[in-house]
Each structure stands twice: as structure tokens, then as C-alpha cells.
Amino acid sequence: MNKTNFTLEEIQKDCNELENKILNLYLERKKQKDICEELNITRGKIDNLVKKYKLTRFRDVARFTINENNLNIYNENIWYYLGLFASDGNLQTTCGTNRIQFTLDDKECLEYIKEILEFTGEVKSYFKSGKTRYYLGTTNKKLIDFTNQIFEHDCHRKTDNLIFPKIPNVNCLIMFLRGFIDGDGSFRKTRDTPYYRFGIYCKSKNFILKLKYYIDKIIGHECSFYNEDTIELSSKKDNYKLYKFLYEKIENKYYMIRKYERAKEHIIAYENELKI
């Protein structure tokens, strides 16, 4: 590979079996000495891998951690993480190591996840197909177990069988919907007006039907539902009700700014129209 920026997937695909084992231990932030002992290799093998893919040099520091006390179903903010995982996260296993990871165009959402989890690692960036993308990953076992427990199954292949979780209260539901919508939802502008139409797609029938149930309750009637996988809201009023539900009860910063600003523009325009 003759380039300077690599995705994790590109590195894993290009590596041989031993290099992938080194890479996994590297991502766990293990010391060079420990990797050499575990894999019975010299430091030269590690140095070659670091140089080949322009990886950050090893430092003798503690591996990245999260605050595991935050893994509590009554913690509203953890539901934002869970919503974003449901839409844009994945659980991957490479050479026996499980990793929860996100790759997004929007850095802000991953910074939120880092803050919510109190993750000591960094959001990484790379350039691909003419744009910058962002990556966050962790091998924390308790987070992986917690996430699998919330979604009631192993989340390695969740696209078709994602389960809508049992959410303890309305504030947690709001945060979960924010996270999921930040990942997969769209707020499309209605021509040259200040109004936006909501739409979302999910391939898992269990998940989309439960999501529809909640959106129906929020707007007070059945929403438009297509092909058993797509929800859309067309009326100004229905979109207004959803946006108010998402953003006005909980006034924290955990939401994608561009989607929040579109929702607020719709809310203001609709309320001004009612005054006329």
C-alpha cells in the first residue's frame, strides 16, 4: 500500500495472520514487551508494522479505558450511545478480539460517545474518497457485554436481526431516538420553505415496527410506513410533534448539530405560522 492514511479495515485486509495479531494487541494498547512475549516475536516485527501503516508509536501507558459505572440503563446519556450503535455502530471480531467500533462522517457524534463513556482513547480521522471520516473503537469487554445484553443478542450481525431494546423511561427513549436518528434518520427540506420532512429506514423488521409504534404515539396517529422498512412523516404538524419530542424536553448537547438546527427551524416556522 503506497499511501499515508489507512482505514482499520484496509489494514486488517492487507495484514497476514501474525500482523493482525500484533494489530489487535496494539489496539488494546498493550506494551511492546507484552506483545513480544505473548506472540514470541522480536520488537522488529512490531516496528515494521508501525512503519508500514504509519501507526502511532507505542508508549508505555495504560490501555484505553471507559468509566464502567456509566453502563447503567437509568443513565439517560448511555442511551444516546446505544442509539448510535444501533444505527451506525458494529461489533467486529478479528483474530479472537471483539471490538465495538464506529466509522462516521460526523466527528461530533463520536466525541459525544467518547465523553459519555469517559473513554480515554481518541477519535481518529482518515481521508478516503475525497473526504475525511472519523473512527472510534474499543475492546472493553464490559461495554460489549452491556451492549449485547441491551439488544438481547450477539450484535455481530445486527443489520437484519436488530432488536428494539426495552427502554426504562421517556428521557432514555428520547436519548435513544436521538442517537439512532443521528445515525440513520434524515430531515429533508421541503423545497424553498423552512420545513423539513423526517424519514428513516431500518432493515430489521422487529426494530422498525417498534420504532413505528413509538413514533405513532408521539404524533398521535399512524405514520406513513413503506415496504416494511421505511417510516416517513409528511405533514408539518407531525414533524413538529416529533422534533419537539426529540429536542425540547432534554436540553443537553447530545445531538447532531445540523439535524438539531433543521428541527429548530421547522419548530419556529410552524409556531410562527400558528400565530398568523
Side-chain angles (χ1 to χ4, degrees):
M1 284 188 177
N2 185 22
K3 56 185 288 190
T4 58
N5 292 285
F6 307 93
T7 67
L8 179 61
E9 290 78 8
E10 286 174 335
I11 296 173
Q12 290 169 332
K13 185 177 180 180
D14 193 54
C15 283
N16 60 37
E17 183 177 357
L18 176 60
E19 288 174 331
N20 267 308
K21 289 180 179 179
I22 297 171
L23 179 64
N24 284 328
L25 296 175
Y26 168 87
L27 292 171
E28 292 179 30
R29 302 300 295 170
K30 287 202 172 183
K31 298 178 182 179
Q32 276 188 304
K33 178 176 178 294
D34 294 336
I35 296 175
C36 290
E37 291 179 355
E38 184 167 338
L39 299 179
N40 192 28
I41 60 174
T42 65
R43 291 196 178 215
K45 290 283 188 183
I46 300 171
D47 290 338
N48 288 339
L49 185 70
V50 169
K51 183 178 180 180
K52 182 178 180 181
Y53 298 107
K54 311 296 189 297
L55 302 175
T56 303
R57 287 283 174 180
F58 286 82
R59 292 169 292 172
D60 290 339
V61 296
R63 69 184 64 178
F64 296 143
T65 61
I66 67 169
N67 184 346
E68 294 173 355
N69 292 326
N70 293 337
L71 305 181
N72 181 330
I73 63 168
Y74 297 102
N75 172 8
E76 295 171 7
N77 292 336
I78 202 67
W79 286 96
Y80 182 87
Y81 152 76
L82 291 164
L84 195 67
F85 175 82
S87 57
D88 274 349
N90 67 78
L91 175 58
Q92 179 175 311
T93 299
T94 306
C95 297
T97 300
N98 290 322
R99 179 177 296 104
I100 282 180
Q101 55 189 19
F102 299 83
T103 302
L104 302 176
D105 293 337
D106 296 274
K107 184 179 181 182
E108 63 188 308
C109 296
L110 298 187
E111 293 289 355
Y112 297 155
I113 298 304
K114 175 175 158 54
E115 187 172 303
I116 288 167
L117 296 175
E118 297 181 56
F119 179 56
T120 58
E122 295 300 322
V123 176
K124 299 182 183 297
S125 65
Y126 62 91
F127 193 75
K128 184 177 182 181
S129 301
K131 65 180 179 181
T132 301
R133 304 205 75 200
Y134 299 94
Y135 171 85
L136 182 68
T138 175
T139 59
N140 184 276
K141 187 177 185 303
K142 286 194 176 180
L143 178 64
I144 293 169
D145 290 344
F146 174 78
T147 304
N148 283 334
Q149 181 181 7
I150 290 294
F151 291 104
E152 299 181 21
H153 66 91
D154 186 319
C155 292
H156 275 87
R157 287 177 288 274
K158 65 181 178 63
T159 302
D160 295 314
N161 59 6
L162 183 66
I163 301 295
F164 198 100
K166 297 179 177 67
I167 302 177
N169 57 53
V170 67
N171 285 357
C172 293
L173 175 64
I174 289 170
M175 297 306 296
F176 181 76
L177 293 181
R178 280 188 190 177
F180 188 74
I181 289 169
D182 278 355
D184 278 349
S186 67
F187 298 172
R188 293 181 290 107
K189 197 171 183 68
T190 308
R191 295 183 181 178
D192 296 324
T193 75
Y195 296 108
Y196 292 85
R197 299 173 69 172
F198 170 76
I200 200 160
Y201 164 88
C202 181
K203 197 173 179 182
S204 167
K205 188 171 182 180
N206 173 283
F207 193 97
I208 197 69
L209 288 176
K210 193 68 173 181
L211 178 61
K212 179 183 180 302
Y213 165 80
Y214 281 113
I215 291 179
D216 288 349
K217 288 181 70 70
I218 291 166
I219 66 175
H221 61 88
E222 287 200 16
C223 62
S224 298
F225 188 50
Y226 303 102
N227 303 320
E228 297 188 334
D229 58 18
T230 302
I231 293 170
E232 290 187 358
L233 300 182
S234 56
S235 80
K236 297 175 185 177
K237 185 176 182 180
D238 288 347
N239 281 280
Y240 171 79
K241 287 181 176 181
L242 176 63
Y243 302 153
K244 290 278 283 188
F245 180 82
L246 288 174
Y247 299 114
E248 297 226 327
K249 182 176 174 61
I250 301 178
E251 296 182 353
N252 64 29
K253 65 179 181 180
Y254 297 130
Y255 45 72
M256 188 182 294
I257 293 173
R258 61 182 170 86
K259 290 184 179 178
Y260 168 78
E261 289 178 344
R262 291 175 182 180
K264 290 298 290 185
E265 184 180 355
H266 185 103
I267 289 170
I268 292 169
Y270 185 79
E271 291 181 348
N272 285 340
E273 186 176 298
L274 291 178
K275 294 175 184 177
I276 298 174

